Amino acid sequence: QVQLVESGGGTAQAGGTLSLSCQTSERTFTTYAMGWFRQAPGKEREFVAAIAWKTRSTFYADSVKGRFTISKDDVKNEVYLEMKDLKPEGTTVYYCNGEIHRGYCAGDKCHHGRDWGRGTQVTVSS
């Protein structure tokens, strides 16, 4: 199984910026995209952003459009999430997600793939 390791996160003030990184141990031939999800206490895990490996197509949840940017490094097999203009409701755990297949993405959103990282905490203070 592919291993995903997140780094980054931490604490920032509202309006500030944080960046996340996710390194994958390998990239399978069938993988269309990788992405980020987040889960607040007591809530379901929700889609944040995804990026396609070959086409670099990007997908964003409406709540983060214009503020978050997902990118990747093909050589390092890493995916990044730059988060600007952070909001207090963004205090949550962010999870890297892999094995997102093409059929999982429609419109601006993707359903999660098989592989998950352990998560990294992001705290936004008001």
Side-chain angles (χ1 to χ4, degrees):
Q1 187 169 348
V2 175
Q3 290 186 333
L4 303 173
V5 180
E6 301 102 337
S7 61
T11 301
Q13 289 188 332
T17 299
L18 283 175
S19 295
L20 306 179
S21 300
C22 174
Q23 185 167 39
T24 174
S25 59
E26 62 182 89
R27 179 156 55 94
T28 65
F29 181 75
T30 57
T31 296
Y32 170 72
M34 285 185 61
W36 293 92
F37 288 70
R38 64 188 181 185
Q39 186 171 21
K43 295 188 176 181
E44 293 186 356
R45 196 167 296 186
E46 63 176 8
F47 170 74
V48 176
I51 185 167
W53 281 110
K54 291 184 178 179
T55 66
R56 295 182 179 267
S57 297
T58 55
F59 306 83
Y60 293 98
D62 290 341
S63 59
V64 305
K65 282 181 181 178
R67 300 187 298 116
F68 289 14
T69 301
I70 189 169
S71 60
K72 65 184 180 72
D73 186 317
D74 292 342
V75 175
K76 296 181 179 179
N77 277 351
E78 290 185 346
V79 176
Y80 310 101
L81 186 67
E82 182 181 40
M83 305 180 291
K84 295 182 177 179
D85 190 20
L86 287 164
K87 301 182 183 302
E89 54 265 34
T91 294
T92 182
V93 179
Y94 283 75
Y95 296 90
C96 182
N97 181 249
E99 279 291 310
I100 298 174
H101 294 270
R102 179 62 184 94
Y104 295 2
C105 299
D108 292 337
K109 299 179 179 59
C110 297
H111 292 287
H112 65 80
R114 179 193 66 188
D115 300 320
W116 293 101
R118 299 183 68 175
T120 184
Q121 177 71 44
V122 170
T123 301
V124 183
S125 59
S126 57

